[in-house]
Amino acid sequence: MAGLASLQAALGHEFSDASLLEQALTHRSHSAKHNERLEFLGDSVLNFVVASLLFERFTKIDEGDLSRLRASLVKQASLADIATRLSLSQYLRLGEGELKSGGFRRPSILADALEALFAAVFLDGGFDAARKVIARQYESILVNVDPKTLGKDPKTLLQELLQARKLDLPLYTVVATHGAAHNQMFEVECQIPKLDIKVSAGGSSRRAAEQSAAQLAIAAIDALTPAKGSGRSRARKSAQLSLPVAVSQETK
Amino acid sequence: MAGLASLQAALGHEFSDASLLEQALTHRSHSAKHNERLEFLGDSVLNFVVASLLFERFTKIDEGDLSRLRASLVKQASLADIATRLSLSQYLRLGEGELKSGGFRRPSILADALEALFAAVFLDGGFDAARKVIARQYESILVNVDPKTLGKDPKTLLQELLQARKLDLPLYTVVATHGAAHNQMFEVECQIPKLDIKVSAGGSSRRAAEQSAAQLAIAAIDALTPAKGSGRSRARKSAQLSLPVAVSQETK
């Protein structure tokens, strides 16, 4: 475990009770005083703080959209990204087995430890301290949130994109399946005849393959309409969609 | 809408900004400035505060049990109970249609308004104010929480009860079905031969009928073992199980 001063600096919180920090970083494979109870508490303080940040920032959007945005911001992949930015893996305390199998890189372990850290800050410094630490990690993320698109899956986004241009819905066709029944791969084609677009993608389920194909179709539409011609807003949308995080949620 | 002084007294919070209180009590059927965004925020502050109350109170139970307890404490029926205790229905602002159809008695409307109220307190007085208000409503409930049983369904409880006495698992049998396919009623019998117990109950699904039958079987076991002979702990358990709230969750 690396020295914890740099982690505390990155979080913006210096612990009065270092044992809380240590426990938050301890996986159950390491010792009995592990971080799972803290994770329970941290999950809920995180959910609340992100809810209140969104509530303040987006005063016009309804509760359904607020829920979608929050789900996207607190999902495992988003938390693992933050944990990676904090270099959390080098501070984790894992058991032998998890260490050898590379557990310090597992998104679930990273995300759980991050939630536990937030709880540790809350227990150590109270709610305002936890809110400050969480807000700091989400500051740069919130600036780039597009409330119209974040957290929507590629098929929904593609449909909305086409409807905005008054074009027909895309056509999805399974063009091939590979492998045995218990381990099938589906190849799906997505066609948008009016735009002369035909792309295909694979996935372990029909739904997953359709989502990946929709993602490619969106990229193809973006390629047809250069950013400088299509205005600010679409350019920003397409930049977001090309983030790997947005896809991985749907294609797994 | 009745005068709001008594509601504020019951909550233990006097609003600086009365418009927040008003908005929290306004259903979407009444006007555009309704309580749904507040409900989104209130749901998460409630979840967090209840999580932290449980975390403090039950220092030995694991995160799975903490989650089960919290789910039971913040579910709609529990919130509607609190709302009823606060006489919330007389303060609600509903549209004509909802008023006529008795919307002020609907558990969902009551629960949503209560969550919105918690958010309003948070926005009005900060986190500590919200925590105090929520803790006050849960004080009497938390005293009676049995972490071993609360939130478990009757089949699970019956199974644990029998295992503790080293008895065989109960036998569930569908003894009759009534009605057309789209609106079937199932009648299920639950047998515990060693205790000479045979009870039956109906439900709109096999699962629901089994849960109701298990509930009756637990009551039958309790009747066999008078409270004074069976010690404090079982007497308390059975008292909890006979609460209507515990059943309605599973049999709907």
Side-chain angles (χ1 to χ4, degrees):
Chain A
M1 185 161 59
L4 291 169
S6 54
L7 176 58
Q8 295 181 77
L11 287 171
H13 178 80
E14 195 164 337
F15 278 82
S16 307
D17 179 355
S19 74
L20 280 169
L21 172 56
E22 202 166 292
Q23 185 173 356
L25 297 168
T26 305
H27 188 255
R28 67 173 303 140
S29 62
H30 183 279
S31 42
K33 206 177 169 189
H34 56 69
N35 63 10
E36 290 191 357
R37 274 174 52 92
L38 287 175
E39 182 212 332
F40 164 77
L41 187 59
D43 172 77
S44 66
V45 69
L46 171 67
N47 265 281
F48 170 48
V49 170
V50 171
S52 79
L53 293 172
L54 291 170
F55 185 91
E56 280 167 17
R57 188 177 189 93
F58 299 107
T59 54
K60 302 288 175 198
I61 70 177
D62 71 20
E63 60 292 348
D65 287 336
L66 288 169
S67 293
R68 168 172 52 80
L69 294 183
R70 183 178 53 181
S72 173
L73 294 175
V74 304
K75 71 182 180 194
Q76 193 182 87
S78 304
L79 297 181
D81 282 350
I82 294 174
T84 302
R85 208 168 60 201
L86 289 167
S87 306
L88 214 58
S89 60
Q90 59 179 291
Y91 305 103
L92 291 181
R93 293 157 29 115
L94 298 171
E96 282 292 318
E98 284 292 352
L99 259 183
K100 281 181 187 154
S101 65
F104 46 86
R105 279 190 305 264
R106 284 234 308 275
S108 63
I109 289 182
L110 288 168
D112 292 353
L114 182 66
E115 289 183 332
L117 263 183
F118 293 149
V121 173
F122 167 67
L123 295 172
D124 190 67
F127 177 72
D128 289 339
R131 183 183 164 94
K132 209 183 86 202
V133 163
I134 294 168
R136 179 184 176 134
Q137 295 307 318
Y138 276 95
E139 210 168 7
S140 60
I141 299 169
L142 282 170
V143 173
N144 291 308
V145 160
D146 180 345
K148 289 207 187 69
T149 59
L150 183 70
K152 286 187 182 169
D153 62 90
K155 281 181 73 176
T156 303
L157 286 172
L158 177 58
Q159 183 178 328
E160 291 177 356
L161 205 59
L162 295 176
Q163 280 169 341
R165 297 168 179 223
K166 305 205 190 307
L167 292 171
D168 290 340
L169 294 182
L171 302 167
Y172 296 95
T173 324
V174 178
V175 291
T177 57
H178 313 281
H182 62 284
N183 192 20
Q184 254 181 325
M185 280 291 294
F186 294 80
E187 201 182 325
V188 165
E189 191 178 83
C190 174
Q191 277 188 70
I192 308 165
K194 279 270 171 58
L195 298 179
D196 209 15
I197 286 174
K198 191 189 280 187
V199 291
S200 66
S204 60
S205 71
R206 181 180 168 154
R207 190 184 131 78
E210 285 178 357
Q211 294 290 2
S212 295
Q215 183 75 20
L216 292 177
I218 292 169
I221 293 176
D222 283 335
L224 286 179
T225 44
K228 59 177 177 180
S230 65
R232 251 175 173 298
S233 119
R234 190 171 316 113
R236 199 165 126 214
K237 250 184 225 174
S238 78
Q240 282 212 339
L241 285 164
S242 65
L243 284 173
V245 168
V247 191
S248 63
Q249 180 193 19
E250 291 302 326
T251 51
K252 264 176 193 159
Chain B
M1 188 158 59
L4 293 168
S6 54
L7 176 58
Q8 296 182 75
L11 287 171
H13 178 81
E14 196 165 335
F15 278 82
S16 306
D17 179 356
S19 74
L20 280 168
L21 172 57
E22 202 166 293
Q23 185 174 357
L25 296 168
T26 305
H27 187 256
R28 68 173 302 141
S29 61
H30 182 280
S31 41
K33 206 176 169 190
H34 56 69
N35 64 10
E36 290 190 357
R37 274 173 54 93
L38 288 175
E39 181 212 331
F40 164 77
L41 186 60
D43 172 79
S44 66
V45 69
L46 171 68
N47 265 282
F48 170 49
V49 170
V50 170
S52 79
L53 293 171
L54 290 169
F55 185 92
E56 280 167 17
R57 188 177 191 93
F58 300 107
T59 55
K60 302 290 175 198
I61 70 177
D62 71 19
E63 60 292 347
D65 287 337
L66 288 170
S67 292
R68 168 172 53 78
L69 295 183
R70 183 179 52 181
S72 173
L73 294 175
V74 303
K75 71 184 179 194
Q76 192 182 87
S78 304
L79 297 181
D81 282 350
I82 295 175
T84 302
R85 209 168 60 202
L86 289 168
S87 306
L88 214 57
S89 60
Q90 58 179 291
Y91 304 103
L92 291 181
R93 293 160 23 118
L94 298 171
E96 282 291 317
E98 285 292 353
L99 259 183
K100 281 184 186 153
S101 65
F104 47 85
R105 281 190 304 265
R106 283 235 308 275
S108 62
I109 288 183
L110 288 168
D112 292 353
L114 182 66
E115 290 182 333
L117 263 183
F118 293 150
V121 173
F122 166 68
L123 294 172
D124 190 66
F127 178 72
D128 290 339
R131 184 182 164 95
K132 210 183 87 202
V133 163
I134 294 168
R136 178 182 177 137
Q137 294 308 318
Y138 277 94
E139 211 168 8
S140 61
I141 299 170
L142 282 169
V143 173
N144 290 307
V145 161
D146 181 344
K148 287 207 188 68
T149 59
L150 182 70
K152 285 187 184 169
D153 62 273
K155 281 182 72 175
T156 303
L157 285 171
L158 177 59
Q159 182 178 330
E160 290 177 358
L161 204 59
L162 296 175
Q163 280 169 342
R165 296 166 179 224
K166 305 205 191 306
L167 292 172
D168 290 340
L169 294 183
L171 302 167
Y172 296 97
T173 324
V174 177
V175 291
T177 56
H178 311 281
H182 62 282
N183 191 20
Q184 254 182 326
M185 280 293 294
F186 293 80
E187 200 181 326
V188 165
E189 191 177 83
C190 174
Q191 277 189 69
I192 308 164
K194 278 272 171 56
L195 298 178
D196 209 17
I197 285 174
K198 190 190 280 186
V199 291
S200 66
S204 60
S205 71
R206 181 180 169 153
R207 190 184 132 76
E210 284 178 358
Q211 295 290 2
S212 294
Q215 183 73 20
L216 291 176
I218 292 170
I221 294 175
D222 283 337
L224 286 178
T225 45
K228 57 177 179 180
S230 65
R232 253 176 174 297
S233 118
R234 191 174 314 116
R236 199 165 126 213
K237 248 184 228 175
S238 79
Q240 282 212 338
L241 285 165
S242 65
L243 283 174
V245 169
V247 191
S248 63
Q249 181 190 18
E250 290 303 325
T251 52
K252 265 176 196 163

